[in-house]
Amino acid sequence: MSQVFTDEVVARAMEDTGSAPSSRRHHGLPHIHKVGTAPKQTLYQEIKHSVKETFFFDDPLSQFKGQSRKRKLVLGMQSVFPIVEWGRDYNLQKFKGDFIAGLTIASLCIPQDIAYAKLANLNPEHALYTSFVAPLVYAFMGTSRDIAIGPVAVVSLLLGTMLTDEIADSKNPDYLRLAYTATFFAGITQLALGFFRLGFLIDFLSHAAIVGFMGGAAITIALQQLKGLLGLKTFTKKTDIVSVMRSVWKPVEHGWNWETIVIGMSFLVFILITNYIAKKNKKLFWVAAIAPMISVVVSTFCVYITRADKKGVAIVKHIKEGVNPASASEIFFSGEYFGAGVKIGVVSGMVALTEAVAIARTFAAMKDYSIDGNKEMVAMGTMNIVGSLTSSYVATGSFSRSAVNYMAGCKTAVSNIVMSMVLLLTLLVITPLFKYTPNAVLASIIIAAVMNLVDVQAAILLWKIDKFDFVACMGAFFGVIFKSVEIGLLIAVAISFAKILLQVTRPRTAILGKLSGTKVYRNILQYPKATQIPGMLIIRVDSAIYFSNSNYIKDRILKWVTDEEVQRTASEFPSIQSLIVEMSPVTDIDTSGIHALEDLFKSLKKREVQLLLANPGPIVIEKLHASKLSDIIGEDKIFSSVDDAVATFGPKGEVK
């Protein structure tokens, strides 16, 4: 950068503009603070600092410095398995809380798992396998005390939809193999993000986009359950609302199954009432938690004694007994479906990770402790890789189960271990009892579970705070319900990136005025009593100046100057002789930004307006010196504050 401008150009520019020290028209001030510069760094130091701030801002290796080899080994074990650290203080009192919480979430997750497996077009046992293996792995490696691990509705639907796009027949053996492959690569994606400390990538999916995506997915999931709730024998494979409603109304002429409708609607009302009671009285959270299991037990018993299954009521039928069989040999590591497995795995893994981290952060904030985002990703990735080898599919944190876990008084991740042991008992002993469970009840459980994902209040708040965020929310929402889950997710990501690009390429600028009786300068729109300085225009740039926005910033400043000159001419206010650019928000500048400032300087020179810079940061001032632009503008025209610039070049009446 030091070669951007030659010494000859600098000298000629200083001569032409009269910016040499002799031309300064100071008002005899005793002292003007000079802009300081940071110590010069080598290229290696700059790269090292940049990498550290991007990937290792929390300095994870600092704990190992000065430690003995034995201590380093212990610290290393704690880093990989946090249970080693908090497990030393574990006691019976904590176990009581975890045991009750584990039993409570197990009673909720068993019926949910059987239902969610249908969303992924998999047999019920695979969801039960998932809730047995994944929580065990997470309990040893995760950093959240409250998150409950297992299959969730949104990820199950996403996985089922994307798998069906590749293999339409879910009975095809390759369908299950592709599910294992997708789960494996979902785990690889999550593990890689955590290991290489790339967790910031999931933050590109904005909160607004997530609200819209989750809401749309919830509506889609609920609509999909109309097949089981109404007893329909044929149903569309598509997830958009138009196709679903056509499937719902087309068979009306042949009649819906009224026994199924009675069963489904009765238990849906029951579950919704228990949810309402739990919301009104937090101490009765367990009522809502055990309602799904009660529904399953009661409906199964009723169907068995009445043999309603012979009258057209669809039932679960057979759930395979026993623990997870190995599935490592089933994963596609090459061949026709390898690419599809990677694609589905990356997408489902990112969505699962986004949901899990959001849930973990929410409950950590409620209990005032911190989670390690990168360790969470490593834990999630490891549990899904292990799950793919043991006949499981993509697992993540469940908000409904985590909320119950929190309300039940969990103390640590041991509640996940308790839940896992209950699932093991279920797989070994209880699964035959679910044979007569009606699908209508499972549909009711899913509908009740996903209703909370439609956050109307959050959407209203988005409208009040940021209209662009609201557009992102609605774009993701309508993309999901009118097209597909993948399209909705794509729209959510696209709008999130569009917002980032818009903010980067069109940063805010503001005209500043002085607050009476102070040396403080503020936005005149926000502070109408702030007065502008005669003969001067003060503009603040609220962004770093890069290639993406440098021309816009230059043109916007010149537009401000033109508009102000017109207004001042009409009001007989002194014309602009000096332009002060307040640069405290400008955290960085690149070569395009340097050229933009040079062009701004030349344009102002033609208007006989001098350019003054106020409070450039250490990186900015270093680059101004390296490019020799500071010599062109004039060292005496770069100030530590706006007040210094006004005191030096402003009207004499402004000097205090």
Side-chain angles (χ1 to χ4, degrees):
M1 284 183 62
S2 60
Q3 300 302 316
V4 174
F5 303 105
T6 65
D7 292 338
E8 183 179 350
V9 172
V10 172
R12 185 165 59 249
M14 292 177 64
E15 180 180 344
D16 292 343
T17 60
S19 59
S22 59
S23 69
R24 294 176 62 177
R25 43 189 198 84
H26 289 186
H27 296 310
L29 291 179
H31 178 70
I32 295 293
H33 296 288
K34 187 176 181 180
V35 177
T37 56
K40 185 70 176 178
Q41 291 186 321
T42 63
L43 179 61
Y44 169 75
Q45 289 174 324
E46 290 181 358
I47 294 175
K48 180 181 178 182
H49 176 75
S50 178
V51 171
K52 181 179 179 181
E53 286 301 306
T54 303
F55 301 104
F56 305 100
F57 66 92
D58 54 348
D59 200 6
L61 300 180
S62 60
Q63 59 179 328
F64 295 96
K65 295 177 182 177
Q67 302 291 339
S68 64
R69 182 177 298 178
K70 183 178 179 181
R71 180 60 180 163
K72 287 180 179 178
L73 179 61
V74 173
L75 292 173
M77 288 291 292
Q78 291 179 3
S79 297
V80 179
F81 303 104
I83 194 173
V84 175
E85 181 177 4
W86 57 260
R88 291 178 303 195
D89 300 324
Y90 199 73
N91 53 43
L92 183 60
Q93 188 64 31
K94 290 182 179 179
F95 178 72
K96 288 180 180 178
D98 288 334
F99 183 74
I100 294 172
L103 290 178
T104 307
I105 56 177
S107 67
L108 175 63
C109 85
I110 292 172
Q112 281 189 346
D113 286 351
I114 297 173
Y116 292 162
K118 291 186 174 295
L119 292 176
N121 298 315
L122 296 171
N123 292 328
E125 61 265 20
H126 294 291
L128 296 174
Y129 293 157
T130 303
S131 285
F132 166 52
V133 171
L136 277 179
V137 178
Y138 181 85
F140 283 86
M141 301 185 68
T143 60
S144 173
R145 305 172 194 169
D146 302 279
I147 196 170
I149 299 298
V152 298
V154 173
V155 176
S156 297
L157 175 67
L158 177 64
L159 190 66
T161 303
M162 297 185 74
L163 290 173
T164 305
D165 288 342
E166 299 294 332
I167 303 175
D169 182 11
S170 61
K171 302 299 181 183
N172 187 329
D174 285 342
Y175 184 92
L176 183 58
R177 294 186 63 189
L178 186 57
Y180 295 150
T181 306
T183 303
F184 178 81
F185 285 104
I188 292 293
T189 301
Q190 295 168 337
L191 181 64
L193 288 174
F195 183 80
F196 293 108
R197 306 180 71 81
L198 299 173
F200 60 86
L201 293 177
I202 66 174
D203 292 331
F204 281 100
L205 194 59
S206 68
H207 170 71
I210 292 174
V211 170
F213 173 74
M214 289 295 187
I219 298 294
T220 300
I221 291 169
L223 290 173
Q224 289 282 305
Q225 302 319 300
L226 293 177
K227 176 185 178 182
L229 200 65
L230 301 176
L232 302 176
K233 297 189 181 300
T234 59
F235 204 73
T236 180
K237 294 288 186 181
K238 298 180 180 179
T239 60
D240 64 281
I241 189 172
V242 175
S243 299
V244 169
M245 296 315 295
R246 282 176 179 168
S247 291
V248 168
W249 292 107
K250 189 175 181 180
V252 169
E253 59 195 50
H254 305 295
W256 294 335
N257 186 282
W258 69 267
E259 292 94 341
T260 300
I261 296 174
V262 169
I263 293 173
M265 293 303 298
S266 299
F267 285 100
L268 176 59
V269 171
F270 168 68
I271 295 172
L272 292 178
I273 289 174
T274 59
N275 288 345
Y276 178 79
I277 293 172
K279 283 184 178 180
K280 286 296 182 180
N281 189 341
K282 299 297 183 183
K283 293 182 180 179
L284 297 177
F285 70 91
W286 56 270
V287 174
I290 66 172
M293 182 58 79
I294 292 175
S295 300
V296 167
V297 172
V298 173
S299 64
T300 300
F301 179 73
C302 292
V303 169
Y304 177 73
I305 62 174
T306 61
R307 297 314 307 264
D309 55 307
K310 294 185 176 181
K311 299 177 183 179
V313 176
I315 58 175
V316 171
K317 294 182 181 178
H318 177 67
I319 299 180
K320 189 176 179 181
E321 296 179 64
V323 296
N324 309 37
S327 56
S329 60
E330 301 293 308
I331 297 174
F332 290 114
F333 289 108
S334 61
E336 179 183 358
Y337 295 114
F338 172 75
V342 174
K343 179 188 72 173
I344 298 170
V346 171
V347 174
S348 58
M350 292 290 282
V351 173
L353 195 57
T354 301
E355 184 172 357
V357 172
I359 292 169
R361 287 174 177 169
T362 299
F363 288 102
M366 292 169 68
K367 283 191 176 179
D368 193 25
Y369 68 91
S370 60
I371 64 166
D372 188 317
N374 291 300
K375 288 182 181 178
E376 284 294 294
M377 295 173 201
V378 171
M380 294 282 172
T382 304
M383 75 181 190
N384 278 315
I385 291 173
V386 174
S388 70
L389 306 177
T390 54
S391 301
S392 305
Y393 72 93
V394 181
T396 186
S398 165
F399 188 82
S400 59
R401 273 176 254 176
S402 298
V404 170
N405 197 30
Y406 172 82
M407 296 298 294
C410 71
K411 304 299 180 184
T412 67
V414 170
S415 60
N416 276 288
I417 298 177
V418 174
M419 179 186 72
S420 179
M421 293 300 100
V422 175
L423 263 294
L424 174 61
L425 181 64
T426 302
L427 287 166
L428 292 175
V429 180
I430 306 176
T431 50
L433 301 180
F434 293 110
K435 177 179 179 180
Y436 290 98
T437 300
N439 289 338
V441 168
L442 300 180
S444 301
I445 292 171
I446 293 179
I447 292 173
V450 300
M451 284 183 66
N452 290 330
L453 295 179
V454 183
D455 198 339
V456 178
Q457 292 301 319
I460 293 173
L461 188 61
L462 288 172
W463 172 261
K464 292 178 179 178
I465 295 175
D466 191 320
K467 300 299 188 291
F468 196 97
D469 271 352
F470 181 78
V471 171
C473 176
M474 290 297 101
F477 177 80
F478 288 117
V480 171
I481 65 173
F482 283 108
K483 287 299 293 182
S484 66
V485 178
E486 305 100 293
I487 294 298
L489 183 61
L490 183 62
I491 291 174
V493 173
I495 294 179
S496 296
F497 270 100
K499 182 179 181 181
I500 294 172
L501 291 175
L502 187 62
Q503 290 175 334
V504 170
T505 59
R506 293 295 183 267
R508 298 180 185 275
T509 56
I511 294 180
L512 307 185
K514 185 177 182 180
L515 296 178
S516 179
T518 72
K519 294 183 178 181
V520 177
Y521 293 80
R522 291 290 183 265
N523 188 339
I524 60 174
L525 295 179
Q526 185 179 1
Y527 298 88
K529 291 185 179 180
T531 57
Q532 295 195 57
I533 308 302
M536 308 191 85
L537 179 62
I538 307 168
I539 297 178
R540 186 183 67 221
V541 178
D542 293 334
S543 167
I545 305 177
Y546 292 132
F547 67 93
S548 58
N549 62 20
S550 57
N551 284 327
Y552 169 79
I553 291 173
K554 178 199 69 176
D555 294 339
R556 191 70 189 88
I557 291 175
L558 290 175
K559 183 70 165 54
W560 279 122
V561 173
T562 301
D563 293 345
E564 280 293 311
E565 285 178 338
V566 172
Q567 292 182 20
R568 295 188 182 194
T569 300
S571 63
E572 298 183 356
F573 196 73
S575 61
I576 300 172
Q577 298 172 358
S578 301
L579 170 69
I580 302 175
V581 179
E582 215 285 76
M583 303 186 73
S584 56
V586 181
T587 56
D588 200 359
I589 189 170
D590 64 4
T591 52
S592 297
I594 294 291
H595 281 289
L597 285 182
E598 180 196 7
D599 292 341
L600 176 64
F601 172 80
K602 292 177 181 178
S603 298
L604 292 174
K605 173 189 167 185
K606 294 178 182 178
R607 302 182 184 213
E608 298 183 350
V609 175
Q610 58 185 345
L611 175 63
L612 311 177
L613 303 182
N615 197 18
I619 296 177
V620 175
I621 193 64
E622 180 182 339
K623 292 183 178 181
L624 291 177
H625 287 314
S627 65
K628 301 295 181 67
L629 182 58
S630 58
D631 294 333
I632 290 180
I633 295 174
E635 289 282 358
D636 60 328
K637 294 180 181 177
I638 302 177
F639 297 88
S640 62
S641 68
V642 172
D643 189 65
D644 278 356
V646 172
T648 304
F649 285 97
K652 292 184 179 181
E654 288 298 320
V655 181
K656 304 293 183 185

